[in-house]
Amino acid sequence: MKAILEVKDKQVLRTFPLEKIRNIGIIAHIDAGKTTTTEMILYYTGRTYKIGSVDEGTAVMDWMEQERERGITIKAAATACYWCDHRINIIDTPGHVDFTAEVERSLRVLDGGVVIFDGVAGVEAQSEAVWRQADKYHVARICFVNKMDRVGADFYYTISTIEKRLRALALPIQLPLGSENLFRGVIDLVESKTFVFPDNLDIVPTEVPIPESVLNIAVSYRQALIEKIAENDNQIMAMYLEGKDISVPELKAAIRRLTVAGKVMPVLCGSALRGKGIQPLLNAIVDYLPTPLDIPPIRARKLNGEGEVFCQPRDDEPFSSLAFKTVSDPFMGRLTYIRVYSGMVRAGAQVFNSTIGEKERLGKLYVMHANHREEVDYADTGSIVATVGLKKTSTGDTLCEASRPILFEAIRFAEPVLSMAIEPKTKVEQDKLDDVLGKLTVEDPTFKVYYDQETGQNIISGMGELHLEVMVERMLREFGVKANVGKPQVAYKETITIPVESEGRFIHQSGGKGQYGHVWLKLEPNERGKGFEFLEQLRGGTIPREFVPAIQAGAKSALGSGSLAGYPVVDIKVTLYDGSYHEVDSSDIAFKMAASLAIKEGLRKAKPVALEPIMEMEIVTPAQFLGDIVGNLNSRRTHIENIESHEDSFIIHCLIPLAETFGFASDLRSLSQGRASYTMQFHSYKELPDDLTGRIVAGGFSHARKDK
C-alpha cells in the first residue's frame, strides 16, 4: 500500500503509511541476547542473507572492532527491515552500564521497545536500569524471554521477577513448549495454537494443535489472560461480563490498546540463538507496538517563550526533529542521527537549529544499516535517518523550520564518575590529541575532557573503567593518536554542611575607569543530587538587575574547585541578598569576580566535606562461594542490602564505593573459580569517611585502594 501526499505543492510518495511504521529499540541487561535477537530479526525479514554471530565477531550490528573483540555492544546501531508490509526501524542498544548514554538517547526518540530477558537469570540489574529509562520516556514495551533452551531456563520464574522487581503487569501471551534441551516451540494463547520450530532455521515453523499434555495449563493461562485484559480494558470487560465470546481480532486489539497505553507488558519466549520464537516476536512487534500515530503529539516550547506547541505526526506539518546521536565517521566526517516528529525534509535543505539559534544545511540523508548507508532523497514523519553537513549540531539539539522555531526538551545524561590523565607522547601529537578528544566529546555526552592547569595534563572522565578503556583504545587505534595514559581515578566531589554568609568585594583602580563589584551571598547545603541552585533576593535596588547574571556565572565558575581538595562543589544553594555598586566603575566582570571571591571565602567557612560515588552492584554466585565473596565485599566498605536465593545460586545486592571496586573483578574470578559474575551502575554520591578525606586532601587516595 502506498500513499501520495501533497506537501508544499509537491507530490511525495510515502512508501509506508504512518500506521505501518514501527520505531523500536532492543534493550536488556548485558548478555541477555539483544544483538543475537536483532541478527535473527534481520535474517528472517530478509535484511541479511547470513546470520551474524556475536561470539564469532561476525554480528552485523556489532560492527566496531572493539565490539567484535569483546563480544559486547558498545554503540547503539540503527537499521531498518520489513515484515508483513510494515517497516520496522530498529536500534540495538548496549547492555553494559558504562554505555547507558546510548540507551538513554535511543529511548528518547523511540516509540516502542522489545525488552530481552535471560530465561535463566530473569530480571537482572541492568534490566531494571533500562526499564526505568523506558518508563522515563513512556516507551511501550513487549518482553521476550530468551535462552529458553539453556539449562535452568524458567519462563515462569522470569515472569515473577518482572512483576516483583519491575512492578509491571506482565501479560504472558505465549507459553514455552518444553524447556531446556527439550524446548521446541511456543503455545500462542491469543490464537490457541502451537508453533513448533525445526532445528533448520530455513524451514517454516509448523503450526499444530496444543498438545493434550499441556492443554489444561494453556486453557488456564488463556483464561487468566482474558481476565487480566478485562480488568484493564472497558470494551473487553463489558463483553466478559455479558458472557460473549471474545474473538481473536478483538483480543489483539485490546492487547494493543493496553500495550500502547503502558498498562500491560505482553511476554513472549524463545531462543534467539536457535531462531526459535523470532517470527512470532516480529508478529507481536507489528500487532502490539505503537505507530508514530499512536504516540501523543510531541510537546515543544516556542522559542519566543510564548507557550507551547504540539507537533502533530503529519507530513504536511512544519518540519521538526531531534538530533539524538552524533558520531565521527572516519570516511563521512560528522554524522548526525535525527528522528523526524513532524513534516518532512529533503537532502540539502536548510534547517534551523533552535537550540543554538543558528541555521544549518543538511547534506545527504541516509537510512542506516549498522555502519552501512542507503541514501534517500527525503525524510518524512516518523523517519530515523542520518545526515552529514551539520557542523554545529550536537546531541539533544532541535532542528526545525525557521518559520516555526520550537525547542524540544533536551536529553539529560548522567555525570561521569571515573577519570584518568592522558597526554601526548610528543608535542607534535598535541594538536591531534586535542582534535580527537573534541570529536569524542561531541559523540559521547558522558565523556568529558578538561585541562588541569597544575599538572599540564588533559583529564578524561567517563562512566567506568570499560568506558574509558574503550575510548582510549579508539584514540590509539581508530584515530592513530600516540599518547600516555594514567591510571583511573575516582571523580570525587565536595559540598558544604552548614549555611554561611559571605562577602565578596572586588575594587580595582588603575588611573582611568576602575572596577567595582560588591556582593553578599548566603551559601546553604542543598539536597543530595540537586546540584547548584541560585536565588536572587535583592531589595531596594542595592545592585542593578543587569548584573545578576554575571554574579550567578561568577558563583558557578568558582564552584568548579572546592576549598578542601580542589574537587568540584555540588549540591549547594547560593542566594544573592545584598551588595553595592558604583554608577561608573561597576561592570559584569567586577561583579563576576566579587561573586567568585565570596564563594571561595564562604566555602572555607561552611565546613566542606568530600563526596564519593557509590555504585549499586549485583553479584550472581554459586552457593559454595557466597561466604568468601561476602567477606571480600565487607573489606571494601560495602553495604549489603539483601541476598536472594535462586535454585543453586545467590544474588547479592549491595552498595559499594567506586574507589573500592578496582581489582574486584580479579578477586571475584579467583574466589569463585570464574563462575560468579557481577554488574554495577552509579547510585549516588555520599560523604566520604573522615579518615579517607584526610588522605585525598593529602593526595594519597587519588587512586582507589592504593594503600591496601
Side-chain angles (χ1 to χ4, degrees):
M1 174 179 173
K2 296 183 179 180
I4 295 182
L5 302 170
E6 285 288 338
V7 180
K8 296 183 179 178
D9 302 323
K10 294 181 181 179
Q11 279 197 334
V12 175
L13 185 66
R14 172 179 274 282
T15 309
F16 285 87
L18 278 170
E19 62 270 17
K20 291 199 169 187
I21 292 177
R22 303 291 184 272
N23 290 318
I24 68 165
I26 310 294
I27 57 177
H29 181 91
I30 190 171
D31 287 337
K34 295 178 302 304
T35 301
T36 302
T37 302
T38 308
E39 294 290 327
M40 283 296 177
I41 286 175
L42 296 178
Y43 182 73
Y44 281 115
T45 57
R47 194 68 175 82
T48 57
Y49 66 91
K50 183 179 179 183
I51 301 171
S53 168
V54 174
D55 293 336
E56 294 175 8
T58 58
V60 173
M61 302 303 283
D62 286 349
W63 57 270
M64 287 178 62
E65 190 176 348
Q66 291 94 329
E67 291 178 317
R68 295 186 168 183
E69 288 177 357
R70 299 171 184 273
I72 63 170
T73 300
I74 293 171
K75 280 188 176 182
T79 188
C81 59
Y82 306 90
W83 183 257
C84 297
D85 293 327
H86 287 69
R87 184 173 79 196
I88 305 174
N89 298 319
I90 301 175
I91 297 181
D92 176 32
T93 64
H96 198 286
V97 65
D98 281 17
F99 309 106
T100 187
E102 292 288 319
V103 183
E104 186 82 17
R105 58 184 171 190
S106 298
L107 289 176
R108 173 67 172 79
V109 299
L110 293 171
D111 305 326
V114 178
V115 188
I116 312 293
F117 296 99
D118 186 316
V120 178
V123 174
E124 300 172 87
Q126 193 63 9
S127 307
E128 294 184 72
V130 297
W131 194 272
R132 287 194 297 268
Q133 288 173 301
D135 281 341
K136 176 180 176 182
Y137 295 114
H138 308 290
V139 175
R141 278 147 280 173
I142 60 177
C143 305
F144 182 71
V145 181
N146 192 24
K147 304 185 181 182
M148 287 304 302
D149 57 338
R150 279 188 57 198
V151 175
D154 189 336
F155 178 77
Y156 305 98
Y157 166 75
T158 302
I159 293 287
S160 70
T161 61
I162 292 172
E163 295 177 331
K164 179 181 176 183
R165 296 184 63 173
L166 303 179
R167 297 179 179 86
L169 182 56
L171 190 73
I173 59 174
Q174 290 181 354
L175 296 179
L177 184 63
S179 63
E180 299 182 346
N181 63 327
L182 298 178
F183 175 72
R184 62 188 187 280
V186 297
I187 301 168
D188 188 322
L189 297 178
V190 177
E191 299 192 19
S192 297
K193 59 178 67 170
T194 299
F195 294 98
V196 176
F197 300 93
D199 292 334
N200 188 330
L201 298 177
D202 295 321
I203 299 178
V204 177
T206 306
E207 182 182 320
V208 299
I210 299 175
E212 289 290 333
S213 59
V214 292
L215 184 59
N216 290 338
I217 296 174
V219 169
S220 173
Y221 268 87
R222 191 176 195 275
Q223 182 63 28
L225 170 73
I226 294 172
E227 289 174 0
K228 275 187 179 181
I229 294 172
E231 289 172 6
N232 293 276
D233 186 87
N234 292 334
Q235 293 183 38
I236 300 298
M237 172 64 81
M239 297 176 68
Y240 182 75
L241 293 177
E242 292 171 11
K244 294 182 178 179
D245 287 334
I246 303 169
S247 67
V248 170
E250 288 169 332
L251 206 54
K252 284 188 174 182
I255 295 172
R256 178 178 180 77
R257 285 193 297 272
L258 295 175
T259 304
V260 170
K263 293 182 179 180
V264 302
M265 308 295 167
V267 185
L268 301 90
C269 60
S271 169
L273 187 62
R274 310 296 174 203
K276 297 180 179 180
I278 300 301
Q279 295 99 324
L281 175 61
L282 281 162
N283 290 335
I285 290 170
V286 167
D287 289 340
Y288 306 127
L289 288 180
T291 75
L293 293 171
D294 294 320
I295 303 302
I298 305 300
R299 177 186 297 161
R301 179 167 56 85
K302 291 183 179 179
L303 206 59
N304 57 14
E306 298 176 0
E308 295 179 332
V309 63
F310 292 88
C311 299
Q312 303 291 336
R314 289 165 38 185
D315 287 336
D316 56 357
E317 279 270 302
F319 169 70
S320 68
S321 69
L322 184 74
F324 68 94
K325 181 180 171 73
T326 303
V327 298
S328 297
D329 189 284
F331 304 105
M332 305 290 293
R334 197 169 184 176
L335 199 63
T336 304
Y337 288 71
I338 63 172
R339 159 70 193 263
V340 181
Y341 284 110
S342 66
M344 61 155 290
V345 68
R346 291 188 179 276
Q350 188 179 73
V351 295
F352 181 62
N353 185 325
S354 57
T355 305
I356 61 175
E358 293 195 25
K359 292 180 179 179
E360 292 243 61
R361 188 167 295 279
L362 298 173
K364 293 180 179 180
L365 297 174
Y366 302 97
V367 172
M368 300 300 294
H369 178 50
N371 62 328
H372 301 289
R373 299 169 291 274
E374 296 174 4
E375 189 174 345
V376 294
D377 294 329
Y378 65 92
D380 47 28
T381 300
S383 297
I384 294 177
V385 296
T387 182
V388 293
L390 300 178
K391 298 178 181 178
K392 299 179 181 179
T393 299
S394 302
T395 298
D397 286 1
T398 301
L399 299 174
C400 59
E401 287 188 13
S403 61
R404 188 182 73 169
I406 58 172
L407 197 63
F408 291 125
E409 182 182 353
I411 308 173
R412 304 190 184 280
F413 298 99
E415 286 296 315
V417 296
L418 205 63
S419 301
M420 63 169 58
I422 184 168
E423 56 185 7
K425 288 189 175 180
T426 64
K427 289 185 178 181
V428 178
E429 291 285 318
Q430 181 66 60
D431 290 342
K432 189 175 183 180
L433 176 63
D434 291 342
D435 179 58
V436 170
L437 289 175
K439 288 179 179 178
L440 293 177
T441 53
V442 169
E443 185 175 312
D444 187 345
T446 59
F447 180 70
K448 305 288 187 184
V449 180
Y450 75 91
Y451 184 73
D452 190 325
Q453 296 284 356
E454 293 183 4
T455 63
Q457 295 174 313
N458 286 302
I459 306 298
I460 58 175
S461 302
M463 300 304 297
E465 286 183 272
L466 182 59
H467 186 201
L468 291 178
E469 189 178 318
V470 167
M471 285 302 198
V472 169
E473 276 188 16
R474 290 190 63 195
M475 284 183 244
L476 301 179
R477 296 161 60 174
E478 186 177 324
F479 294 98
V481 174
K482 297 176 182 177
N484 297 316
V485 181
K487 292 182 179 179
Q489 297 185 356
V490 177
Y492 294 103
K493 308 278 188 188
E494 294 182 27
T495 193
I496 60 174
T497 56
I498 61 170
V500 296
E501 294 179 353
S502 179
E503 180 184 23
R505 190 187 297 267
F506 182 75
I507 302 173
H508 181 69
Q509 289 295 140
S510 58
K513 181 184 176 182
Q515 296 284 357
Y516 183 95
H518 174 220
V519 298
W520 276 97
L521 302 178
K522 183 177 181 181
L523 281 58
E524 301 173 87
N526 211 347
E527 293 178 32
R528 187 72 71 241
K530 201 164 184 180
F532 169 65
E533 190 175 353
F534 184 85
L535 302 175
E536 180 261 300
Q537 295 179 354
L538 292 171
R539 294 180 182 176
T542 53
I543 298 176
R545 304 282 179 189
E546 65 193 72
F547 294 125
V548 172
I551 295 170
Q552 180 177 353
K556 189 173 184 179
S557 175
L559 294 174
S561 177
S563 62
L564 192 65
Y567 293 108
V569 181
V570 297
D571 303 335
I572 184 170
K573 183 188 296 183
V574 177
T575 304
L576 169 64
Y577 69 92
D578 201 1
S580 63
Y581 77 103
H582 189 280
E583 290 185 357
V584 177
D585 291 349
S586 287
S587 65
D588 282 347
I589 293 176
F591 274 105
K592 187 174 182 179
M593 292 297 298
S596 179
L597 293 171
I599 288 291
K600 291 185 180 299
E601 175 63 25
L603 291 177
R604 284 192 288 269
K605 299 188 297 183
K607 294 188 177 178
V609 294
L611 302 175
E612 64 175 337
I614 304 295
M615 310 301 288
E616 183 179 356
M617 182 181 283
E618 182 180 283
I619 303 151
V620 181
T621 176
Q624 63 264 42
F625 309 119
L626 178 65
D628 290 339
I629 291 173
V630 169
N632 186 277
L633 290 172
N634 288 334
S635 73
R636 296 172 178 267
R637 298 189 289 127
T638 305
H639 171 66
I640 296 176
E641 294 190 306
N642 62 65
I643 300 176
E644 295 179 22
S645 62
H646 173 48
E647 295 184 351
D648 61 344
S649 64
F650 284 89
I651 304 171
I652 306 169
H653 301 274
C654 59
L655 298 176
I656 180 171
L658 177 63
E660 302 290 347
T661 62
F662 292 84
F664 178 70
S666 299
D667 285 359
L668 188 65
R669 279 195 295 269
S670 62
L671 290 171
S672 65
Q673 300 173 14
R675 294 173 61 191
S677 62
Y678 80 98
T679 57
M680 67 177 182
Q681 60 188 0
F682 174 73
H683 180 267
S684 61
Y685 269 91
K686 291 188 177 179
E687 190 172 331
L688 189 68
D690 290 341
D691 60 325
L692 298 182
T693 299
R695 289 164 62 185
I696 70 163
V697 170
F701 198 63
S702 58
H703 184 248
R705 297 177 66 84
K706 182 175 181 180
D707 301 323
K708 294 189 178 183

